[in-house]
Amino acid sequence: VGGKNASLGEMISNLAGLGVRVPGGFATTAEAFNHFLDSNNLFEEIQQQLDVINVDDVDALKLTGAKIRSMVMAAKLPDDLHAEIARHWEAETDGQEVAFAVRSSATAEDLPEASFAGQQETLLNVTGLDNIIAAIQEVYASLYNDRAIAYREHQSFAHRDVALSVG
């Protein structure tokens, strides 16, 4: 679930019993992100775009990033992933209108040789299941924002080696 979501889970597990209030929630896994890309046949399409990009050409980077993000946003969440998100969302809301922060947690954040923190989207005050689903996809798409693509290239970090959890 990436460092950020793992830390939140640890805080919920270890601090709630001590009276420290940590907001509840749930997280999708990096495996769910890969399942989403795989079920939409996006791995190869995305990699083909990234294989030919010169990230120092700002205009090309902007066009390629926008194209990839558009592909991710147009893709459909697999039914099993949608159902799991709905199940956890319903358990967290218990029929109430609850606002969520929808945040990324990458599997490559805070490595000794590189820091990917803060590169992906965070969306605040998201309510309703449909909006949660859309926000998750927006966070998924943000793995391919121009800054993140260029950073991975400059760090010689394979794009395929980074996956997102969304909390």
Side-chain angles (χ1 to χ4, degrees), residues 4-34:
K4 188 183 306 168
N5 284 335
S7 292
L8 284 168
E10 289 292 318
M11 287 192 301
I12 290 168
S13 295
N14 296 319
L15 299 177
L18 299 173
V20 177
R21 292 185 50 188
V22 180
F26 61 95
T28 65
T29 62
E31 182 179 303
F33 172 77
N34 290 330

Side-chain angles (χ1 to χ4, degrees), residues 3-126:
K4 188 183 306 168
N5 284 335
S7 292
L8 284 168
E10 289 292 318
M11 287 192 301
I12 290 168
S13 295
N14 296 319
L15 299 177
L18 299 173
V20 177
R21 292 185 50 188
V22 180
F26 61 95
T28 65
T29 62
E31 182 179 303
F33 172 77
N34 290 330
H35 175 50
F36 166 75
L37 292 180
D38 189 47
S39 69
N40 286 284
N41 300 311
L42 289 175
F43 276 122
E44 285 185 31
E45 284 186 61
I46 289 170
Q47 195 58 53
Q48 286 172 359
Q49 295 294 316
L50 296 173
D51 283 345
V52 298
I53 190 172
N54 172 3
V55 296
D56 296 322
D57 179 343
V58 176
D59 292 331
L61 176 61
K62 184 178 178 181
L63 288 172
T64 300
K67 182 175 182 178
I68 294 170
R69 290 188 303 276
S70 179
M71 290 187 315
V72 171
M73 290 305 295
K76 183 181 182 296
L77 220 59
D79 291 341
D80 58 340
L81 180 54
H82 189 285
E84 278 299 302
I85 292 167
R87 185 172 68 81
H88 288 284
W89 176 81
E90 288 168 7
E92 287 296 323
T93 60
D94 195 30
Q96 305 295 311
E97 182 164 318
V98 177
F100 289 88
V102 182
R103 306 192 66 197
S104 69
S105 186
T107 57
E109 285 182 354
D110 304 323
L111 297 173
E113 66 278 2
S115 177
F116 296 83
Q119 292 185 357
Q120 282 75 53
E121 289 294 329
T122 292
L123 300 130
L124 303 176
N125 298 314
V126 180

